[in-house]
Amino acid sequence: MSCREVDLLAEELRASAPPIIHQPLTFGKTGPLGLYRKTDQIFNDRPVYYSQKSKLYIFYQKAQVGKRADGTWGALPDRDKMNRWKRYYYVKETCPAISFSSATQGFSPITATWRTRDGEVLKWTCPDPSKCPERKVKDPDEEDLEPVPAGWKDPDFPHESSSCKSSDQDKEFKWLRAYELSRNLSGDFTATLFGEGTEPADACQGAICNCWLMAAISKLAEYPGVIESLFSPKEASLEGKYEIRLCKEFTGGKTEWTVVTIDDYLPCKYGKPIYAKFHKGKMYVALLEKAIAKLMDGDKQRGRLTFEGKGTYASFFSGGMNNFAWSMMTGLYGYTCYGPPHGEDRAQWQALENLAVTTDPSEEETEELGVLGAGATIQEVELWRCYVKFQKMSGEGPEEGWVPSYILGRRVAKRISKFPWHIYVPEPFEGSYDAKPVEEEWVWEKMMEFDKDNSLVDVSLTYRRSSAELKQDGLLGGGDGETTMTGGR
């Protein structure tokens, strides 16, 4: 039988606490919560951590702190112990807290649960000390990591407000290297271009109107190796020079590829990119966005795009569609639409419950015309979103108007005639085209063929309803546009 001193056990537990901890989540102007290193200081038997950048300590608190009966503020000895980790500018039992963990007996801050004000659980990492050495000479206003060296700078894309969208020109921002941003946000302090591979969640839109581009990147990210094939080099470059292959001509049977050369400097504010965000520290979306911005030379007055390689982030204001972005990254042009014709042979519907009949729901103001009775049958005249413009065939209610087919995600009208599938094979940006009727079996056979071959298939949905209206209809989304389902190969 042997006995161990309690303080010796505490010493071993302190030694087992990681030397470095990191929390990459960002909050407002403070930037990353940062890198905390274990100090030689001990408080309440636990190690104390310190962040050079935020000037904050993380230490263990035992006492309950609050206002005493005499009106003073401090420890409350008659209350239960807190036993939690807290974060503040100095180490003291009775100091306030910027943030704190849940109750724990652990000897490391990362063994406790930390949450944001919104309830999100913070995920800490324990970086390899060899990958994040301390600065030899510390700057009190910077992170304590050795800085990333300056990289190659593209003379055709200057690091100034003229390269950004117009509304950014009066804002204060810095151009930071994607290599450094990736290193600080990857979780293991290793800069990464593609991480463990591309995935749809990588495409996170920033403060610019290019959702159509992010949608295309998100869809293409599902196909391993496709986006990677556009980049040279295919690993994070310390030099910061990338060549990205893009297609600038994909109409009229022509396909012309070009190579866009960019540096990895990005406009940032509070240490975060203004435009495309970094998911798991991956750089490729932000760099691909920059390359496409440079390739597109937006002509706002004429409302079109040219591809002279002299564009800026402002080029995105000339607009675009996700099949347009899809073609730039794949070289595939043309697309196929499957759906009902916009003419004769419209579908027949039956109301599943009493439905309010209104005038055109696409207008800001619509007038109620009456109630279409449950069981009534109608002939579709026009289809817009989940609304059906009709002429009544049988049942009670107005002879014509608009009714919904879904309300709050619940089906309230069903199609009772065979779906009149048609196929459209237009050339991009070439105007109108004719629809040809096809059998439903043919459509699904074609879809299965795409799936079997693992073909590149782009399915797009745009709309013309506000976010509030779409939620009311039980659908997701926001913004304006038209409803179109497209597929490409």
Side-chain angles (χ1 to χ4, degrees):
M1 180 176 179
S2 62
C3 298
R4 304 188 68 181
E5 294 291 335
V6 175
D7 58 346
L8 179 60
L9 177 61
E11 183 178 345
E12 292 179 354
L13 292 172
R14 284 194 297 270
S16 67
I20 303 174
I21 59 176
H22 180 250
Q23 211 305 310
L25 190 65
T26 56
F27 287 103
K29 298 182 180 181
T30 62
L33 285 181
L35 194 70
Y36 289 82
R37 300 180 187 272
K38 186 164 65 173
T39 69
D40 295 331
Q41 185 177 356
I42 299 173
F43 190 79
N44 283 331
D45 289 333
R46 270 73 171 173
V48 175
Y49 289 80
Y50 180 69
S51 169
Q52 171 70 23
K53 182 174 183 178
S54 63
K55 306 296 187 292
L56 291 170
Y57 291 91
I58 294 179
F59 58 97
Y60 192 76
Q61 174 193 25
K62 287 187 176 180
Q64 172 78 31
V65 178
K67 185 176 288 188
R68 303 187 183 99
D70 60 1
T72 60
W73 193 90
L76 303 177
D78 58 334
R79 300 289 293 276
D80 293 336
K81 300 290 186 181
M82 291 303 296
N83 296 327
R84 64 182 182 182
W85 292 86
K86 67 190 300 183
R87 191 166 61 100
Y88 200 61
Y89 293 102
Y90 54 84
V91 180
K92 188 177 181 182
E93 189 80 5
T94 57
C95 71
I98 290 179
S99 62
F100 47 81
S101 74
S102 60
T104 179
Q105 296 291 335
F107 276 69
S108 167
I110 65 172
T111 61
T113 300
W114 296 70
R115 296 182 183 274
T116 66
R117 293 180 180 179
D118 297 329
E120 180 182 357
V121 176
L122 301 180
K123 296 180 180 180
W124 293 84
T125 62
C126 301
D128 182 345
S130 65
K131 295 182 179 179
C132 44
E134 283 190 85
R135 279 175 176 262
K136 295 178 181 178
V137 179
K138 292 185 178 180
D139 185 328
D141 296 324
E142 299 293 338
E143 181 62 85
D144 65 344
L145 289 176
E146 285 293 340
V148 171
W152 177 77
K153 296 182 180 180
D154 180 5
D156 298 325
F157 205 104
H159 303 163
E160 56 190 38
S161 58
S162 61
S163 295
C164 299
K165 66 176 187 176
S166 57
S167 61
D168 281 332
Q169 292 187 12
D170 296 329
K171 295 182 178 179
E172 296 181 1
F173 56 85
K174 295 182 178 180
W175 290 76
L176 302 179
R177 290 199 57 190
Y179 191 97
E180 182 173 15
L181 294 168
S182 175
R183 183 193 69 171
N184 293 343
L185 295 172
S186 64
D188 64 357
F189 284 85
T190 301
T192 178
L193 187 58
F194 299 108
E196 296 180 354
T198 61
E199 56 182 307
D202 295 339
C204 303
Q205 184 181 2
I208 200 165
C209 53
N210 62 359
C211 56
W212 50 273
L213 172 60
M214 293 296 117
I217 294 175
S218 179
K219 287 180 289 189
L220 205 57
E222 293 189 90
Y223 297 91
V226 175
I227 294 180
E228 291 95 319
S229 68
L230 304 176
F231 281 77
S232 179
K234 302 186 187 303
E235 300 289 342
S237 168
L238 186 59
E239 180 189 11
K241 185 176 183 179
Y242 294 88
E243 293 182 342
I244 299 178
R245 184 170 174 262
L246 295 169
C247 188
K248 69 175 185 177
E249 178 65 62
F250 39 79
T251 60
K254 299 178 181 179
T255 301
E256 181 182 346
W257 291 84
T258 188
V259 173
V260 181
T261 303
I262 61 168
D263 62 36
D264 74 344
Y265 284 87
L266 302 172
C268 299
K269 193 168 186 180
Y270 308 136
K272 298 181 290 185
I274 296 175
Y275 304 130
K277 310 304 180 184
F278 283 58
H279 180 235
K280 299 179 181 179
K282 301 176 189 178
M283 292 186 279
Y284 79 91
V285 174
L287 296 179
L288 185 55
E289 177 187 58
K290 184 175 183 179
I292 291 176
K294 181 179 177 180
L295 178 63
M296 299 194 319
D297 186 9
D299 187 341
K300 294 184 185 179
Q301 294 182 346
R302 299 181 63 183
R304 67 182 185 88
L305 296 169
T306 59
F307 297 94
E308 302 300 328
K310 300 178 181 179
T312 67
Y313 284 107
S315 300
F316 289 121
F317 280 94
S318 294
M321 297 183 293
N322 55 19
N323 59 321
F324 169 76
W326 176 274
S327 296
M328 292 181 70
M329 294 183 286
T330 64
L332 301 175
Y333 61 91
Y335 58 95
T336 303
C337 299
Y338 303 107
H342 299 284
E344 301 177 355
D345 301 325
R346 305 300 289 184
Q348 295 176 359
W349 297 73
Q350 183 178 43
L352 300 178
E353 58 184 74
N354 292 339
L355 300 177
V357 181
T358 63
T359 55
D360 191 346
S362 65
E363 301 294 335
E364 292 185 2
E365 296 183 3
T366 183
E367 179 182 351
E368 188 167 329
L369 302 177
V371 176
L372 184 69
T377 59
I378 57 176
Q379 176 73 50
E380 177 188 311
V381 176
E382 184 179 342
L383 193 63
W384 181 79
R385 290 301 294 161
C386 64
Y387 289 88
V388 181
K389 185 178 182 180
F390 71 90
Q391 288 183 344
K392 190 178 68 175
M393 298 171 58
S394 66
E396 298 180 355
E399 296 297 317
E400 59 183 24
W402 289 81
V403 291
S405 58
Y406 279 87
I407 297 177
L408 296 177
R410 184 181 78 258
R411 184 190 294 274
V412 294
K414 67 177 181 179
R415 186 183 294 107
I416 57 175
S417 62
K418 187 175 180 180
F419 190 81
W421 282 100
H422 280 60
I423 182 172
Y424 308 79
V425 188
E427 190 73 20
F429 321 116
E430 294 294 329
S432 61
Y433 45 86
D434 295 327
K436 299 179 180 179
V438 293
E439 292 296 324
E440 181 176 2
E441 291 75 12
W442 182 91
V443 174
W444 295 115
E445 287 176 4
K446 184 62 64 175
M447 292 296 184
M448 292 302 295
E449 179 184 334
F450 290 155
D451 181 67
K452 183 178 180 180
D453 294 343
N454 196 29
S455 301
L456 291 176
V457 178
D458 168 25
V459 180
S460 308
L461 173 64
T462 55
Y463 31 77
R464 187 186 294 164
R465 292 197 42 92
S466 68
S467 296
E469 289 170 323
L470 289 171
K471 289 178 180 178
Q472 184 177 2
D473 296 337
L475 302 171
L476 298 176
D480 300 322
E482 294 180 354
T483 302
T484 308
M485 295 298 292
T486 66
R489 188 181 185 188

